[in-house]
Amino acid sequence: MEGGVHELDGSTFKECFSLSWRNPYVLRLAFSAGIGGLLFGYDTGVISGALLYIRDDFRSVDRNTWLQEMIVSMAVAGAIIGAAIGGWTTDRFGRRTSILVADFLFFAGAVVMASAPGPAQLVVGRVFVGLGVGMASMTSPLYISEASPARIRGALVSTNGFLITGGQFLAYLINLAFTKAPGTWRWMLGVAAVPAVVQFGLMLFLPESPRWLYRKGRPEEAEAILRRIYSAEEVEREIEELKESVAAEARERGSSEKVSLAALLRTATVRRGLVAGVGLQVFQQLVGINTVMYYSPTIVQLAGFASNQTALALSLVTSGLNALGSIVSIYFIDRTGRKKLLVISLVGVILSLGVLTAVFHETTSHSPPVSAAETGRFDGSLTCPDYRLQSSASSGGFWDCTRCLKARSTECGFCSSGAGKLLPGACLVSNATTRDACHGEGGRLWYTRGCPSRNGWLALVGLALYIIFFSPGMGTVPWIVNSEIYPLRFRGVCGGAAATANWVSNLAVAQSFLSLTQAIGVAWTFLIFGGLSVAALAFVLVCVPETKGLPIEEVEKMLERRELRLRFWAPRDADGKETAKGAGV
């Protein structure tokens, strides 16, 4: 059995960081590979702010919701392919080689996007970046997992999650820093080339995964690396158990190289692991996290904050909380357990989505009215055509900001009253001339994506609560579970399948969010995510095993016995069995 059984006493969080002076080599491996997570986070987060300025530069993007969704989601489409390829390349060529290829793709994508003369080139660059993100999303945590002592494996893999969220936070900082710079979004997207070059240089001097080397018949290299990872009293046991694991694999399959879809489906243990691993990755996206990370500034504007700079600054709060939540995960993941964190996380997500649904329903239902007098203060050619037509008819009905922004014949915007943004305002054609005319009168604000609201700050509270609950649990645990739930011989293929499922779900959410908000409204969209979160909670309770502190071979045995362990809160001993105290729960 690879990894052995380890007593879980004290704080693995403290032990993890005590490595900085006892064995810095392990942290060097983890953080160097984790830069892939930083790039993952940066390239998925940076587009949220860059999109605001891309819309300003390219009128075709501003006028077409589907083009905005394409620029965002093509990185996700590339990630689907990258994750699928990554599952194969990590098993065929090694974990380290796959990370190096991902770095090249990150660099190429950043250069293409920064120099893009139009939307088409932006889409191409996003595809390149997506390929790198897809490969890094499953290869980096796998490399860290296989180069970590079992006792602190969860905490070290969580550093990858922390670097993902740290990359997203960095993206918002960079976005805010370049709002006044010439070329704004080009700098935002091009900066991603820097960490790609840094990681490429670091990985050239790091070894391959010791477990992959053993599978490839290179035991001397593997043992040399393991001796640098484990203490002197642990290393011999680890080497012996790894030998037994690979030998058992060879006896079972005749060859450790034969990995096929048929083999996966025939093996009950792997099949049950895939249900848990793939299901977690799918639900991670379906609860709506990347609507927040990709469209956070847009959501802030929908809540009633008009300025691009204000939207970016407020979005910085959510990305900062996301990074903080990853640190919380590092502390609790090996103390509390994977399943308990998931349950707490999802309960909080459901409550937060309920708050967001209520706030946006209130915002939409009570938006400021449109005033004929306020609209008449501007040149008649600037009046929204639908409003002009309806107001001249006897059946014009009541017009407010929400109805103005949904005008069908042409895009229209709402210019607030100079006496107060919640008072009756003007409904005008949406273009640069009108925007400047609105801003030209003191105290007026120009709204095109959301309406003024007295409850906009509650939407920020809802977003903050969502991130606070999501990040420590659903944000990091699915990646950790997928790095440890599969047998060694299937780990690359199964991890690639799970990462691919994650990105397919991600694409579905990213490509549909803006269209859904236009079709059914923001409140109903968040209500749908809330319903999916309830389904995710039921799935976790029934299908996801607790893997806290268990060597990977023990996880495999648990899946063979099909132990659901619904009483995930019960105390357990080092062998994963309920204690006498827990049995009475």
Side-chain angles (χ1 to χ4, degrees):
M1 294 193 319
E2 175 190 340
V5 177
H6 300 261
E7 297 290 333
L8 291 178
D9 53 352
S11 171
T12 53
F13 177 82
K14 293 179 180 178
E15 179 172 344
C16 177
F17 284 93
S18 72
L19 283 174
S20 59
W21 63 84
R22 287 194 297 107
N23 189 359
Y25 182 71
V26 175
L27 286 185
R28 181 184 167 196
L29 293 176
F31 279 98
S32 296
I35 295 177
L38 182 77
L39 285 160
F40 173 170
Y42 186 87
D43 280 309
T44 54
V46 70
I47 196 63
S48 63
L51 186 62
L52 302 180
Y53 295 93
I54 292 170
R55 290 178 64 172
D56 290 341
D57 279 5
F58 299 122
R59 182 64 176 167
S60 60
V61 177
D62 189 49
R63 294 177 63 88
N64 295 288
T65 298
W66 66 268
L67 193 51
Q68 297 170 38
E69 290 175 330
M70 179 173 288
I71 291 172
V72 171
S73 61
M74 278 304 98
V76 182
I80 295 171
I81 301 172
I85 294 173
W88 174 73
T89 59
T90 52
D91 280 343
R92 181 68 181 273
F93 303 107
R95 287 50 163 153
R96 173 176 167 271
T97 301
S98 295
I99 292 174
L100 292 173
V101 172
D103 287 329
F104 173 77
L105 292 168
F106 280 126
F107 179 82
V111 171
V112 171
M113 289 188 297
S115 59
Q121 291 76 17
L122 264 174
V123 169
V124 171
R126 291 287 290 169
V127 170
F128 272 106
V129 164
L131 290 169
V133 166
M135 293 188 71
S137 68
M138 61 84 52
T139 307
S140 292
L142 181 59
Y143 181 92
I144 296 169
S145 175
E146 294 186 344
S148 302
R151 177 184 173 81
I152 57 171
R153 185 178 61 235
L156 285 177
V157 176
S158 288
T159 62
N160 185 67
F162 166 67
L163 288 168
I164 291 174
T165 56
Q168 291 169 335
F169 181 70
L170 178 64
Y172 282 95
L173 282 177
I174 295 293
N175 284 347
L176 199 57
F178 285 113
T179 53
K180 300 296 185 181
T184 51
W185 59 268
R186 297 184 186 277
W187 285 102
M188 296 173 182
L189 298 175
V191 163
V194 176
V197 172
V198 171
Q199 187 182 39
F200 190 91
L202 289 173
M203 292 303 297
L204 285 176
F205 298 98
L206 291 179
E208 184 51 80
S209 158
R211 285 158 178 79
W212 183 85
L213 289 172
Y214 243 110
R215 291 189 67 235
K216 293 298 181 179
R218 297 156 64 180
E220 295 82 6
E221 296 176 58
E223 290 177 14
I225 298 166
L226 288 173
R227 293 184 190 281
R228 299 191 66 180
I229 294 173
Y230 289 93
S231 64
E233 59 271 17
E234 293 178 323
V235 68
E236 294 302 330
R237 182 186 62 190
E238 295 295 331
I239 291 173
E240 186 60 32
E241 290 168 349
L242 184 53
K243 287 179 181 178
E244 292 178 7
S245 177
V246 174
E249 173 189 329
R251 288 193 301 270
E252 181 180 350
R253 296 303 177 201
S255 169
S256 61
E257 295 301 320
K258 295 179 181 178
V259 177
S260 65
L261 179 61
L264 295 180
L265 297 177
R266 285 197 306 266
T267 308
T269 302
V270 180
R271 187 167 61 247
R272 290 166 187 160
L274 275 172
V275 168
V278 171
L280 274 179
Q281 294 286 35
V282 170
F283 277 117
Q284 184 192 61
Q285 298 303 317
L286 294 187
V287 301
I289 179 57
N290 280 317
T291 62
V292 176
M293 300 317 300
Y294 295 160
Y295 299 109
S296 183
T298 300
I299 293 172
V300 170
Q301 290 186 329
L302 288 170
F305 297 90
S307 164
N308 284 354
Q309 287 82 3
T310 301
L312 285 173
L314 292 175
S315 298
L316 195 61
V317 175
T318 60
S319 60
L321 289 171
N322 199 23
L324 181 61
S326 297
I327 298 175
V328 173
S329 176
I330 295 173
Y331 181 81
F332 282 107
I333 191 66
D334 285 318
R335 290 167 57 96
T336 304
R338 284 65 161 149
K339 193 164 185 173
K340 188 181 292 185
L341 272 182
L342 286 171
V343 170
I344 295 171
S345 176
L346 283 167
V347 169
V349 163
I350 292 167
L351 294 175
S352 304
L353 288 169
V355 171
L356 287 169
T357 299
V359 169
F360 279 104
H361 176 73
E362 177 71 14
T363 298
T364 303
S365 304
H366 297 83
S367 64
V370 173
S371 163
E374 288 292 319
T375 304
R377 293 172 63 92
F378 297 88
D379 189 300
S381 63
L382 300 181
T383 302
C384 176
D386 283 10
Y387 174 70
R388 184 190 301 116
L389 179 64
Q390 294 293 332
S391 60
S392 63
S394 58
S395 59
F398 176 75
W399 273 70
D400 61 8
C401 173
T402 300
R403 186 174 178 184
C404 176
L405 299 189
K406 291 183 177 180
R408 295 183 178 181
S409 64
T410 188
E411 291 188 9
C412 296
F414 181 80
C415 183
S416 69
S417 169
K421 66 179 184 179
L422 298 178
L423 297 176
C427 185
L428 309 170
V429 174
S430 178
N431 56 42
T433 301
T434 310
R435 179 192 62 205
D436 293 341
C438 177
H439 288 159
E441 296 199 15
R444 292 182 181 271
L445 296 173
W446 178 241
Y447 296 85
T448 58
R449 300 180 181 105
C451 293
S453 170
R454 62 171 53 89
N455 297 318
W457 64 274
L458 283 176
L460 297 180
V461 171
L463 286 174
L465 287 174
Y466 179 94
I467 292 296
I468 287 170
F469 282 108
F470 178 90
S471 183
M474 285 298 288
T476 57
V477 174
W479 298 107
I480 294 170
V481 169
N482 274 278
S483 73
E484 61 192 10
I485 200 171
Y486 308 117
L488 177 62
R489 61 189 175 276
F490 296 126
R491 203 173 303 164
V493 172
C494 291
T500 301
N502 180 288
W503 290 109
V504 170
S505 307
N506 191 326
L507 177 62
V509 171
Q511 187 64 30
S512 62
F513 177 69
L514 291 180
S515 297
L516 273 175
T517 59
Q518 284 193 340
I520 64 175
V522 184
W524 281 101
T525 301
F526 280 119
L527 185 62
I528 290 173
F529 290 134
L532 291 170
S533 299
V534 173
L537 179 59
F539 173 84
V540 167
L541 289 172
V542 174
C543 298
V544 178
E546 179 55 75
T547 58
K548 180 184 77 170
L550 295 178
I552 293 170
E553 288 72 29
E554 285 297 317
V555 176
E556 184 175 353
K557 289 185 176 182
M558 180 173 60
L559 290 172
E560 287 176 358
R561 296 190 295 265
R562 202 173 188 177
E563 297 180 5
L564 294 179
R565 297 188 177 183
L566 292 176
R567 294 191 295 180
F568 57 89
W569 60 85
R572 300 183 187 277
D573 61 21
D575 294 314
K577 299 177 181 178
E578 285 188 19
T579 62
K581 180 180 178 181
V585 175

